[in-house]
Amino acid sequence: MELRRVVVTGIGAVTPIGNDVTDFWNSLLTGTNGVGMITHFDTTEYKTKFACELKGFDVSKYMDPKEARKVDVCTHYAVAAAVEAMTDAGLSHGTYNPERAGVVVGAGIGGVATTALDIIDFALDNQRPRFSPFFLLKSLNNMMSGNLSIRFDLQGPSFVTSSACTSAAAALWDARNMIGLGLCDIMLTGGSEAGIVPFGIGGFNAMRALSTRNDDIYTASRPFSIGRDGFVMGEGSGMLVLEEYEHAVKRGAKIYAEIAGIGMTSDAYHVTHPRPDGAGARKAMELALKEGDVGIDMIPYVNTHGTSTPLGDASECAAIQALFGDHADTMLFNATKSMTGHLLGAGAAVECIATILEMQNNVVHPTINFEDPDPELPVWDFCIYGPVECDMEYALCNSFGFGGHNASILLKKV
């Protein structure tokens, strides 16, 4: 079935290296490192004491403080990024048919901070049922999409996707399909995450997934480099306005890029380990290219998942090598997570925005902290010396997650 064309007409970002798209983009180009010692809680007893937190974020700029106290921090970030994206798209009440507009947001862990803290209070209070009336409203992930639908009068489909670190990619997939199938004309989509909390850091520490390089935090997130020992936690949100192409043209909207294809697969292998040969990831990229009717020789650049985990980076390289073969030697690769850390369920949205900005400006941002090549990985151009000029019509953005989830988004310059 042929889908209607879907384009991006608005973007918004709240990240550890910038609380709006302009600052985020400038920080990417200058190789700004978003890492620092954790300030959200006392890390004395934790194996990892650093992360990529937001800096100077003020929720009162986007929400009434009284209303903000009723929702989890991940909703704060989602609202902030969504306000920027909708404003960027030139959409406000009365400028679109609300019945033909919806919202779908991705979140891996969502309101876990609220849930866990309130449960601890419950246990310490001898299990007396003295819950806040907002306990469930804060902990339910769908409150992100619910609040956004209310905020912008989006009366179409409204829900949240959850597939670990591909959550935002799954949200983009659903949003694209809603428009492509003719069910909606506009979809607000992306992801949001606020996982720098005791249960996020402690839980991933227990899984040995996080870097513990406490004595050298500024090079801890080192995708594809030797000595990588795990990812660095990040937080924030990325939101995009997707729109049917003719609808966008008719209203004179600014068009950033077209969603030319999205491939999604499952490893069906292990809950935390990716397939060593990257077969599932390779297939996801292949499906994205097939949907866009694009050959491998037309892809000059891939924004990698690049988490800085030993197994994950190796598996992604194997997948790229298997699909692109010798063409990979001529391509550019980078890892946004080297600067932002891993935004979990929001990562795909933020990295998709980074890729769109790169296509718009014909330049690929650098990968920082690459100290020495891993002899077990291919020798490719990871843009380790700074931004690299690249006039690209197409680009791929990869996301992979625990549970064996694989997603690859094919973007086309319009």
Side-chain angles (χ1 to χ4, degrees):
M1 180 179 180
E2 186 174 351
L3 299 175
R4 299 193 303 169
R5 293 177 67 186
V6 179
V7 294
V8 179
T9 58
I11 52 177
V14 179
T15 79
I17 58 173
N19 291 338
D20 57 45
V21 168
T22 298
D23 287 347
F24 172 54
W25 174 238
N26 290 336
S27 293
L28 287 175
L29 291 181
T30 56
T32 299
N33 197 328
V35 76
M37 303 306 289
I38 292 173
T39 64
H40 291 346
F41 64 94
D42 182 1
T43 62
T44 300
E45 300 297 326
Y46 290 78
K47 295 178 181 178
T48 296
K49 305 178 187 302
F50 59 93
C52 291
E53 297 178 336
L54 297 190
K55 286 84 176 170
F57 177 77
D58 183 359
V59 68
S60 68
K61 294 181 179 179
Y62 311 98
M63 300 179 69
D64 178 270
K66 183 178 179 180
E67 294 302 312
R69 288 193 292 270
K70 299 177 182 178
V71 295
D72 189 82
V73 177
C74 62
T75 299
H76 297 174
Y77 299 163
V79 169
V83 166
E84 183 180 20
M86 291 292 281
T87 301
D88 185 42
L91 295 173
S92 58
H93 292 280
T95 64
Y96 53 89
N97 179 356
E99 294 182 354
R100 298 280 299 172
V103 54
V104 52
V105 183
I109 59 178
V112 66
T114 296
T115 303
L117 289 173
D118 280 4
I119 289 175
I120 287 176
D121 287 343
F122 171 69
L124 293 177
D125 195 25
N126 296 315
Q127 300 185 27
R128 297 174 183 174
R130 296 177 178 176
F131 292 99
S132 162
F134 305 112
F135 167 57
L136 288 178
L137 294 180
K138 292 175 72 174
S139 60
L140 293 173
N141 285 349
N142 74 294
M143 287 300 108
M144 284 191 289
S145 60
N147 276 275
L148 293 177
S149 68
I150 294 169
R151 175 72 173 256
F152 300 107
D153 191 25
L154 305 174
Q155 298 179 25
S158 169
F159 57 97
V160 167
T161 58
S162 186
S163 53
C165 304
T166 66
S167 295
L172 280 160
W173 190 70
D174 276 337
R176 188 283 309 265
N177 288 344
M178 291 285 180
I179 297 172
L181 292 170
L183 302 175
C184 292
D185 298 319
I186 295 170
M187 290 292 291
L188 176 61
T189 187
S192 187
E193 208 78 89
I196 305 177
V197 293
F199 318 98
I201 299 298
F204 281 115
N205 269 157
M207 296 172 68
R208 299 182 180 179
L210 287 181
S211 171
T212 56
R213 197 181 291 272
N214 295 301
D215 58 344
D216 187 18
I217 68 172
Y218 295 104
T219 66
S221 185
R222 50 173 69 189
F224 307 107
S225 181
I226 195 72
R228 62 191 186 279
D229 68 329
F231 72 84
V232 175
M233 184 79 84
E235 63 179 352
S237 176
M239 299 297 292
L240 304 91
V241 174
L242 302 190
E243 194 166 346
E244 193 272 322
Y245 175 72
E246 296 295 342
H247 187 277
V249 170
K250 185 177 181 179
R251 71 178 186 89
K254 171 178 56 183
I255 296 177
Y256 282 99
E258 180 174 355
I259 308 294
I262 301 180
M264 296 188 69
T265 65
S266 297
D267 277 352
Y269 174 72
H270 192 275
V271 291
T272 57
H273 296 177
R275 284 186 177 272
D277 62 1
R282 177 199 61 78
K283 187 63 176 180
M285 290 186 285
E286 182 182 306
L287 289 173
L289 296 181
K290 182 178 180 181
E291 184 178 14
D293 193 23
V294 173
I296 60 171
D297 59 335
M298 297 173 69
I299 304 297
Y301 158 64
V302 177
N303 186 310
T304 67
H305 185 55
T307 58
S308 189
T309 61
L311 296 180
D313 289 2
S315 176
E316 184 169 13
C317 284
I320 291 170
Q321 186 73 76
L323 178 62
F324 289 98
D326 292 341
H327 179 58
D329 297 333
T330 70
M331 296 169 63
L332 297 175
F333 305 91
N334 65 2
T336 304
K337 293 182 182 70
S338 65
M339 289 178 261
T340 64
H342 193 347
L343 274 66
L344 306 180
V350 169
E351 289 154 26
C352 188
I353 290 170
T355 307
I356 288 170
L357 293 170
E358 290 171 316
M359 296 179 74
Q360 286 274 306
N361 293 278
N362 297 315
V363 62
V364 174
H365 76 68
T367 301
I368 67 171
N369 304 329
F370 191 101
E371 297 196 332
D372 292 295
D374 184 338
E376 299 297 320
L377 301 183
V379 181
W380 292 333
D381 190 343
F382 290 106
C383 304
I384 61 176
Y385 300 112
V388 179
E389 293 184 1
C390 180
D391 186 2
M392 53 192 130
E393 183 180 6
Y394 293 97
L396 278 176
C397 185
N398 286 342
S399 296
F400 314 119
F402 284 166
H405 305 290
N406 305 301
S408 187
I409 301 170
L410 174 65
L411 297 166
K412 178 182 179 182
K413 185 181 292 185
V414 178

